[in-house]
Amino acid sequence: MPFTIHGLPVSQGIAIGHVHLVSHAMLEVNHYHVAAKYLPEEVERLNEAVATVQGELVGLKAAATAGQPHSEVGAFVDLQLMMLGDPMLIDGARTLIAERRCNAEWALVQQMEMVVEQFEQIEDPYLRERKADVVQVIERIVKVLLGHPGHLPPKRRDGLGTIIVAHDLSPADTIGFRDHNIGGFVTDVGGPTSHTAIVARSLRIPAVVGLHHIRQLVEEDELLIIDGTRGVVIVAPDERIVEEYRLRRSELELERSKLNRLKDTPATTLDGEDVKMLANIEGPKDLNQVKAVNADGVGLYRTEFLFIGRDSLPDEDEQYEAYRTVLKSLAGKPVTIRTFDVGADKALNGVSARFEPNPALGLRAIRYSLAEPQMFLTQLRALLRASVHGKLRIMIPMLAHAHEIDQSLQLIAKAKAELDAEGLKYDPRVEIGGMIEVPAAALALGMFIRRLSFLSIGTNDLIQYTLAIDRSDEAVVHLYDPLHPAVLKLIAGTIQAGARFGLPVSVCGEMAGDPAYTLLLLGMGLRNFSMHPGHILEIKQQVLRADLNELAPRVQRILKMDEQAKVRDAVMRLAG
Ligand code: PEP
Ligand code: MG
């Protein structure tokens, strides 16, 4: 029987394919049924793996605590050994194997997630974070069971894609989909501005998140339809429904091809104001899409995607090649390359930072780069060397303090001096700008305006930090509101300050690519929109229909409102 589940639409389009169940973001395990007569063997397999890990941990402890009986490592190992003996965890998995007739690794991960959920309810922050130990210990057992790390299924031969069904996915997992003919993905958790969602849009993979218990509701290999535009997932559709969605998919393609007619039309409002339509990219792979919509340049190149999902940092030459390719391809149009925004959910070396106390408030973006000056200097040298191939602008993410800019400028000067000494060329006119993503920055713009040549508002983070809502946490996603009066004041204030001091300001967060906010942003005075290239033509269509003389006073009135419902209503009426 077909049935429908509703979630949050995060990446448009329709995907029809077969389910591949993926377990926890850090553990990819398959799910399969085990015949009743083999169940004792399956439990024995689990017992042996647990015994192996016990042995490993005891050995680890002996090595780590040699000569220092109270070492912290020893305490952690003890904790993990205790968890191995915890009836909730391993006995629970044994029961699941018998009850669900499933494989040991799947049972273990199910049980782990149940226990992790219980940890999440604990008030004491230290004890709550011990869920990381639960995950680690289960990971060890799963690795022993598998004998190798998990992997994605091979490409299907029936022309249908694979649909990944997961509890959660990291941006690195999502990037891995590129080579595996993944048609789409759905997850239990996640929000529309999480980096995983952004990567899905970039890969043009339809995706729906925030489905709560989707993994319990579908089976491996079952047929599934994702409607990533409406946030709907249809499980086990019959032939009639599949046909209907095939038709809808063709209609969507037709609509897109109609928008294509706007490709070479300049984005000018009815009253003659020019608006720049810039693209957000993650690397040279996105250049075809940028060309396809004839963007006015790149407003945000998220360089951290150069190394997400791999084990080593790209060296200077590899970075130089990537930056040069983008600059050359844009042939003189501005290319704004953001220095690494490492940290939070975009962790280095595939190591997830999600179990750190507060990854979003931690060592992220410019903070990370300044803590790793050699890595930062390497990037700056690569950027400067590439600058001779086009119109480069360097952008620094997540600024909050003047000294962060000063230190960055010093490192840029150092990179230039090194290149001079080595006789390597760079463009001395490269502009340095910064992102306004922290409320403190939006409220103390003077120090940024004095030091920088342009600003770009990262609304994804600005909203996250203003409203204290983790953008990747589905439990609070309903509180993530771009129309909160406080958020609008910070955005409008930044745009107005830029205009007053003659500093170009853009918006490069997801708000810029959402047609619901185009008129509002235009009315605030925004003239530079940067978004995923897939949204450019739709937003351009809005710009072409806008009359700023009429919009500006209405938006000024909206900015004085302090009730969210009234703001929402007034913003909807802007289009009417
Ligand atoms: C933002 O925060 O709005 C932004 C564009 O940066 P990122 O989404 O990469 O954090
Ligand atoms: Mg950001």
Side-chain angles (χ1 to χ4, degrees), residues 25 75 168 189 376 387 429 497 547 560:
D168 191 10
V189 301
F376 196 18
S387 67
R429 296 158 306 172
D547 178 349
K560 293 203 178 79

Side-chain angles (χ1 to χ4, degrees), residues 29-50 90 93-109 141-142 144-146:
V29 299
N30 286 322
H31 174 218
Y32 53 85
H33 288 284
V34 176
K37 64 175 176 178
Y38 295 119
L39 287 174
E41 263 177 47
E42 195 62 16
V43 173
E44 195 39 43
R45 210 164 69 84
L46 173 62
N47 292 344
E48 278 173 16
V50 171
I90 310 300
R94 287 185 188 109
T95 312
L96 271 183
I97 294 174
E99 280 179 358
R100 303 254 189 108
R101 298 185 176 189
C102 63
N103 51 319
E105 29 304 53
W106 180 258
L108 263 179
V109 175
I141 309 173
V142 169
V144 173
L145 282 167
L146 293 174

Side-chain angles (χ1 to χ4, degrees), residues 146-164:
L146 293 174
H148 57 81
H151 52 80
L152 287 166
K155 284 188 180 180
R156 299 184 64 93
R157 289 166 187 272
D158 59 6
L160 288 174
T162 296
I163 303 226
I164 300 289

Side-chain angles (χ1 to χ4, degrees), residues 259-267 291-294 537 540:
L259 272 180
N260 272 343
R261 282 188 245 146
L262 299 181
K263 174 176 168 265
D264 298 320
T265 310
K291 286 231 169 96
V293 295
N294 196 14
L537 298 179
K540 192 191 272 187

Side-chain angles (χ1 to χ4, degrees), residues 195 198 300 302 304 338 341 346 364 435 437 458-461 471 508-509:
H195 285 109
I198 292 172
L300 168 64
R302 290 180 162 103
E304 56 281 2
R338 177 172 78 180
D341 182 1
K346 294 183 287 191
R364 204 197 133 178
M435 290 193 71
E437 330 189 67
T459 49
N460 306 338
D461 278 316
R471 58 197 261 202
C508 63

Side-chain angles (χ1 to χ4, degrees), residues 414-427:
K414 182 169 181 202
K416 285 181 177 173
E418 285 184 8
L419 296 180
D420 284 336
E422 293 163 35
L424 292 167
K425 288 205 182 68
Y426 59 88
D427 178 356

